[in-house]
Amino acid sequence: MALSFCGNDRGSIAYSVDNGVLDNGCFVDALNLVPHVFLLFITFPILFIGWGSQSSKVQIHHNTWLHFPGHNLRWILTFTLLFVHVCEIAEGIVSNTWSNHLHLFMPALMGFIAATTSVVYYHNIETANFPKLLLALFIYWILAFITKMIKLWKFAEASLGVQYLRFCITALLVVLYGLLMAVEINVIRVRKYVFFANPQRVKPPEDLQDLGVRFLQPFVNLLSKATYWWMNPLIIGAHKRPIELKKIGKLPIAMRALTNYMRLKDSYEEQRDPDKSPSIWKSMYRAFGGPILLSSTFRYMADLLGFAGPLCISGITANMTFGVYFMFSTELLQNTSVLAVLLFLALVLQRTFLQASYYVTIETGINLRGALLTRFYFISLHYSLQAMIYNKILRLSTSNMSMGEMTLGQINNLVAIETNQLMWFLFLCPNLWAMPVQIIMGVILLYYLLGNSALIGAGVILLLAPVQYLIATKLADTQKSTLDYSTDRLKKTTEILKGIKLLKLYAWENIFCDRVEETRGKELTSLKTFALYTSMSSMRAWQKQLVWTEMKRSYHVHSALCWFVSIILNPLVFVCIGECFIQVNDGFFTWGSNLSTLSDINIRIPTGQLTMIVGQVGCGKSSLLLAMLGEMQTISGKVYWSKYPFANPFSRCGITPSPHPIKNRYSVAYAAQKSWLLNATVEENITFGSHFNKQRYKAVIDACSLQPDIDLLPFGDQTEIGERGINLSGGQRQRICVARALYQNTNIVFLDDPFSALDIDLSDHLMQEGILKFLQDDKRTVVLVTHKLQYLIHADWIIAMKDGSVLREGTLKDIQTLDVELYEHWKTLMNRQDQELEKETEMESQTTLERKTLRRAFYSREAKNQIDDEDEEEEVEEDDDDNMSTTTSRRSKIPWKMCCRYLSSGGFLMVFLMVSSKLAKHSVMVAIDYWLAAWTSSNPHCCFLFQMLSLHRSYVPVFIILCGAAIALCLITSLTVEFLGVAAATNLHHNLLNKIIHAPIRFFDVTPLGQILNRFSADTNIIDQHIPPTLESLTRSTLLCLSAIGVIAFVTPAFLIALVPLAVAFYFIQKYFRVASKDLQDLDDSTQLPLLCHFSETAEGLTTIRAFRHEARFKQRMLELTDTNNTAYLFLSAANRWLEVRTDYLGAVIVLTAAVAAIWTSSQSGLVGLGLTYALTVTNYLNWVVRNLADLEVQMAAVKKVNSFLSTESENYEGSMDVSQVPEDWPQHGEIKIQDLCVRYDTMLKPVLKHVNAHINPGQKVGICGRTGSGKSSLSLAFFNMVDVFEGKIVIDGIDICKLPLQTLRSRLSIILQDPVLFSGSIRLNLDPECTCTDDRLWEALEIAQLKNMVKAHPGGLDAVVTEGGENFSVGQRQLFCLARAFVRKSSILIMDEATASIDMATENILQKVVMTAFADRTVVTIAHRVHTILTADLVVVMKRGSIMEYGKPEILMEQEDGLFASFVKADM
């Protein structure tokens, strides 16, 4: 039949104009074509000619992007206009059933094309910021409005009202064109681009002028925002080249941490009221409530549109057809084809609104996270929460850390986990009010379709709600206990790794390993309980998602908020004075308890002079420094600080004391007793943010004797020294900290025991060149805490302390006059007198051993890096041989090998049960749905009552059986997946712990502690809690999608034709996404680690940072790291939305294809409904298949990292001798024979001991001395078979120790190390972890170590608490505990490796006597730190460069005036 615009009906009056032109409907419709043709005629040349050549430039230079007034409203109205045009086209086509009247839908089709062109044209004009060309759109809206008004007026004249669909559509178009015309008028009014003499010039936003800003979501148009089209170049480009940090650029200003912190802070400060404290919840609502409400609105609209799917499916299955010229408004919805299109559009809109809701909440959550972290860092809730927390850390009281109230693990947990919990709480917030609406609307819809049966179903939901709530509560409790056990396990593991050398030397590694395994067992039991409850709730998955997830998130949010809000801020009180730099009057200070740590402190620190603070271990010297710095809590008294200008370090003034305390003091250069280094270069650690002065820097390096150490580093002082200076020795770390204090141009310098980790030569050099020359020449005020009494002669002012009080204060001459007894006591301890004149011995470069250790560490790492580089070069060569497609396929390849490794760790039986139960479960679920479809397709309405009842009876039993089987299989499936994960986690952690704990000590020297800890923390957490749900979700989503496609193909085989292009589209979407997602996930992880490290560094160095007054610099660094991390996270979130929008749209196309195929094939209504219902599930689960694949790929990296450590070689614990062959009391006598011993640390390194021969008789007291680096400590390690003995042997009481099992050897010897190591727990645990000693024996050991009275004073005695690392004891007290620990074992052989380096001389002399008496009949080998301590030894061994140079009795060796030992004694006197 021929087509005609006005129709080709014979006798038609369509062309009649007898009643006037405007009374002819066809003419009016033709008139409506004019505006559309006009717009297309005007805009197409501009679009294709004017902008065609500039399109590429516009995409590159996005700094010209600018939104005109009413931008979002214009896009919304245009989208609505397009939808109305689709309805108009559908109405015209459906109405045109009798003849071919093109005028019924042709204008609508042209209107659709014109509306699309208008928005493209507008976008290009807006991008080019050229508003004058908007005049064409303004004319178009006017013409379209007028023509539609004419058509509406004629409908009204013909008495066609709202009951007719065409009237309603025309009225809507009039309103939309009118609104768009109003938007255009507003643009003219604001921009004045036409009809005004002075057009307004508008610059783009500041962010768009910065080409470094690459996160464009806030700036692109509404369509790009909704579909994340602006992400296309990044995601597609990632397939060719990996995404780097530089590529994602910076965040917009409005999304940065500082901006959101200030927003939250202002909201918090607005609530300040003397009567009540501000609410953090109200602050969050005021600052971020708007986006949350917007997200909730999007969610509501998505949920309401979600009900359009079932309604459209119900209409399609009814299969009703009508054809009229003027349709009623309700008749269009009775056409199946129209319903199919409406179903498609509803799905597209629903998923768009849903993804928009997700994005807004995630962005808001990230902003909130950063603000709170900054707040915590700055003053005392991922983006803005982090800012608050960091602010809080900078103001933490030192007592919170030292007394164990706040640990580093807690801070890391708060930063890494709790803030994310709050972010995800915001993400899930819309569920709290969206779910009830969904339930109510669902029940109403079911009641409409099913009648009273729906009320029965609603009743079942209500009855099950208490059960679900109970399960949710149990899940929350179980999750809490799991986190607690996990924290405890990680804490114990950290302590093991930090003290691994001691544990191996004492053969305690298995004992402490069992402690970790015990805690791990509790954690796994909690995980199994969690798995059981999860499986029970999986039968009602959506209720679980609503209840227990929210409960869990809310719990963590509450705990996180309560935790940091409850921390008490202790203000620092200072008052200005003038006579001296610092003065303390009537000071009583404490570390947090009610008891004073320092009592009745009245001291002054003279300006420009050297003040020394001396006293025995634990008397309060370090506490006094910290009290002056304001780190301790002040019970009473005041600390006065001089108020002369900071800029002039040499000026003095006599300002009278201020009557009011002030909180400000000047910067103090402070070197703490426990060295603290940044994970940065040596230069950055020394300059510490100050301006680099080459001459001053060189002088400081020389004063601290650092140049020889720097020369050993691969990149000199530009070498990053690693986490906490892991590559350096204690002395090297200490000297860098002292160099930092010297380099700073401050008025006052605090040095807390800087000589404790240094040998004699270094101590003298640092004292002479660093303190007396470099500092005193500048007339700087120096406060020095030391045990080296020989330096008292250089002190201008001395403060002697005892038991937390000042014993005496004054010059050395004053003390000699006023307290003769104290002076004489000091005099006996001054074993060195005028060291400058006595140094006559040729000496090697100081700390040679430390430097050799440094060389070994970097040599091993360089060798390892060289091997890695060679591997990379091989890979590069292979890549050069391959083409780009091969490289791309390698990056997009799924790590099946690691998946198999994980599954094999869980056990093949569990894998078989999981796969078989999953297949059975989904088969039964498909069978249930098919049975229901067959049941509903059987038409009982035509049957008699008894026939209908009989029909139902034939379906009900099978339906009940299938439902029961499905319930059982749901439980079994969930249990198998969860328990598979638990089994895999158990085996992987057990194997990892055993491999690490039994690795040789060299492994810990060359492997950073943080890297090992990450395997036990982050990677173990992923294996425990992330992989099982990801695996379950992936298998479930995949099987659901395959089931849906299978059912649709079964119902409508024609669907398979359309499935091919859809599958191709899906393949490319997932292929591009997985590569980009992995890169962005890696960026997120790699940028989060520096942020966490920065928090850790800040928490560990709080005292130093606050002393230097460098809080602002560290805050700025934290903000930069937070913004960098959140940039990666936001791009990752946007990439997820990119995927979900596309898979959702693909799912909507599948639904449309299935609906059209079902309509054309005219299948049974029940089966059609079944197919369309399954098509809807594809929309929900398609993106989860890709997301879970990408997540699993990233998470399998944790398995890969753990697996890489499982290949570590273990020490040979077995030996060639059986334990039964070793006498129980071996070694009985303590005789040691060293025969031609050669030792090295690694097969790749040179020997450190060369052909050493010695014989030590039973009970002899042997001293080993030598320059640092001579091999003394290496020899001590050789006694325990801790190093590679590749030649020679050590025979103890007739047995070659290399043949002994390591546990037997090490458990029969005792050693005291230089660095004190204590473990959290009790004093009893630290002395006797094997629990084999009586209390009397433990008290005896404490008495010998001079600790009995101190321990008795602690509540609990032997069971008194020892905090993490023994931080509640001083360094000297910790060393004394280590001495007591060695005494407890009472072995026939005791090795003392510079064990007295951290204690004062008086205590050292006492301990030397105790050792000689308590071990009178036992062999004692002392590695001498101070040569005078071995003058009474029976035998002295002098070593040099790994060989024995002198051997004999000390008195004989001293007679050799040109001998090494004699020179050592002279230098140490």
Side-chain angles (χ1 to χ4, degrees), residues 1042-1310:
L1042 293 176
S1043 301
I1045 293 172
V1047 170
I1048 298 171
F1050 172 75
V1051 175
T1052 53
F1055 171 75
L1056 292 173
I1057 301 174
L1059 185 62
V1060 175
L1062 294 174
V1064 171
F1066 176 76
Y1067 170 77
F1068 281 104
I1069 289 173
Q1070 65 85 27
K1071 183 180 180 181
Y1072 284 116
F1073 170 78
R1074 283 196 302 105
V1075 175
S1077 175
K1078 187 176 184 301
D1079 289 346
L1080 292 171
Q1081 184 69 59
D1082 290 342
L1083 281 180
D1084 180 45
D1085 294 339
S1086 63
T1087 55
Q1088 188 179 36
L1089 185 60
L1091 178 62
L1092 296 179
C1093 289
H1094 187 65
F1095 271 88
S1096 299
E1097 287 176 347
T1098 303
E1100 289 182 330
L1102 274 177
T1103 306
T1104 303
I1105 294 171
R1106 290 197 288 237
F1108 280 84
R1109 282 289 186 257
H1110 278 205
E1111 295 96 330
R1113 185 167 67 88
F1114 278 77
K1115 292 173 191 176
Q1116 183 60 37
R1117 178 61 178 158
M1118 190 279 310
L1119 291 173
E1120 293 171 0
L1121 292 172
T1122 303
D1123 286 337
T1124 302
N1125 176 237
N1126 286 313
T1127 304
Y1129 191 89
L1130 277 169
F1131 269 98
L1132 179 61
S1133 175
N1136 290 334
R1137 305 282 78 77
W1138 180 92
L1139 167 74
E1140 292 183 6
V1141 165
R1142 277 146 187 79
T1143 52
D1144 288 341
Y1145 291 173
L1146 199 62
V1149 174
I1150 291 176
V1151 173
L1152 177 63
T1153 307
V1156 172
I1159 293 170
W1160 286 353
T1161 56
S1162 301
S1163 302
Q1164 295 180 6
S1165 60
L1167 293 179
V1168 170
L1170 175 64
L1172 292 179
T1173 303
Y1174 267 85
L1176 286 177
T1177 62
V1178 173
T1179 306
N1180 293 324
Y1181 291 106
L1182 204 56
N1183 70 78
W1184 281 109
V1185 174
V1186 186
R1187 284 281 300 276
N1188 292 144
L1189 268 176
D1191 290 344
L1192 192 65
E1193 187 176 358
V1194 172
Q1195 291 164 8
M1196 280 300 159
V1199 180
K1200 184 177 181 180
K1201 292 175 185 176
V1202 170
N1203 192 54
S1204 66
F1205 272 39
L1206 295 181
S1207 59
T1208 304
E1209 293 186 5
S1210 300
E1211 287 186 287
N1212 183 16
Y1213 276 79
E1214 299 300 324
S1216 58
M1217 288 182 64
D1218 190 76
V1219 180
S1220 60
Q1221 297 177 311
V1222 183
E1224 291 186 4
D1225 58 346
W1226 181 90
Q1228 308 95 324
H1229 311 293
E1231 182 186 25
I1232 304 174
K1233 296 179 181 179
I1234 305 174
Q1235 301 173 358
D1236 201 33
L1237 183 68
C1238 294
V1239 164
R1240 59 191 175 193
Y1241 280 90
D1242 192 87
T1243 55
M1244 301 171 60
L1245 301 176
K1246 297 179 181 179
V1248 290
L1249 294 180
K1250 308 165 188 174
H1251 305 288
V1252 174
N1253 291 276
H1255 181 217
I1256 301 173
N1257 293 317
Q1260 272 192 325
K1261 307 299 180 285
V1262 180
I1264 302 177
C1265 63
R1267 310 294 181 195
T1268 50
S1270 60
K1272 307 186 300 294
S1273 296
S1274 300
L1275 181 58
S1276 68
L1277 293 178
F1279 289 136
F1280 294 84
N1281 203 5
M1282 292 277 285
V1283 288
D1284 180 21
V1285 180
F1286 65 94
E1287 190 176 334
K1289 60 183 177 179
I1290 299 177
V1291 180
I1292 299 179
D1293 283 354
I1295 298 178
D1296 185 355
I1297 64 170
C1298 292
K1299 297 179 180 180
L1300 287 171
L1302 288 182
Q1303 287 289 115
T1304 304
L1305 168 65
R1306 295 170 183 174
S1307 63
R1308 306 291 178 90
L1309 306 179
S1310 291

Side-chain angles (χ1 to χ4, degrees), residues 918-966:
K918 281 275 186 183
L919 292 174
K921 169 191 167 184
H922 286 277
S923 299
V924 171
M925 291 178 67
V926 172
I928 290 174
D929 293 332
Y930 178 79
W931 195 254
L932 279 174
W935 190 353
T936 55
S937 295
S938 61
N939 189 3
H941 301 289
C942 61
C943 304
F944 295 102
L945 180 61
F946 70 90
Q947 291 176 323
M948 185 173 63
L949 292 174
S950 175
L951 185 64
H952 286 324
R953 289 193 189 99
S954 63
Y955 283 102
V956 170
V958 177
F959 180 73
I960 293 175
I961 294 172
L962 289 173
C963 288

Side-chain angles (χ1 to χ4, degrees), residues 513-556:
C513 183
D514 291 340
R515 291 181 67 208
V516 175
E517 290 284 17
E518 181 184 358
T519 307
R520 177 65 174 172
K522 296 177 181 178
E523 183 184 4
L524 291 172
T525 302
S526 183
L527 281 173
K528 291 176 182 177
T529 308
F530 186 83
L532 179 61
Y533 287 129
T534 302
S535 302
M536 293 172 62
S537 63
S538 66
M539 291 177 286
R540 296 296 302 276
W542 62 271
Q543 281 193 332
K544 176 191 75 174
Q545 187 70 20
L546 168 65
V547 183
W548 79 262
T549 302
E550 296 303 330
M551 292 294 294
K552 182 180 72 174
R553 304 296 185 194
S554 299
Y555 168 80
H556 291 305

Side-chain angles (χ1 to χ4, degrees), residues 1362-1418:
V1362 179
T1363 60
E1364 185 178 4
E1367 291 291 337
N1368 54 335
F1369 298 103
S1370 69
V1371 176
Q1373 289 171 331
R1374 287 178 232 164
Q1375 188 62 283
L1376 294 177
F1377 274 115
C1378 295
L1379 291 168
R1381 177 192 290 149
F1383 295 146
V1384 167
R1385 179 166 280 189
K1386 287 192 174 180
S1387 170
S1388 299
I1389 298 175
L1390 171 66
I1391 314 294
M1392 298 179 65
D1393 188 1
E1394 300 183 336
T1396 59
S1398 298
I1399 55 179
D1400 58 273
M1401 290 184 179
T1403 308
E1404 179 185 352
N1405 289 337
I1406 295 172
L1407 287 175
Q1408 290 294 338
K1409 294 177 182 178
V1410 169
V1411 169
M1412 294 302 173
T1413 55
F1415 287 81
D1417 58 340
R1418 300 172 189 267

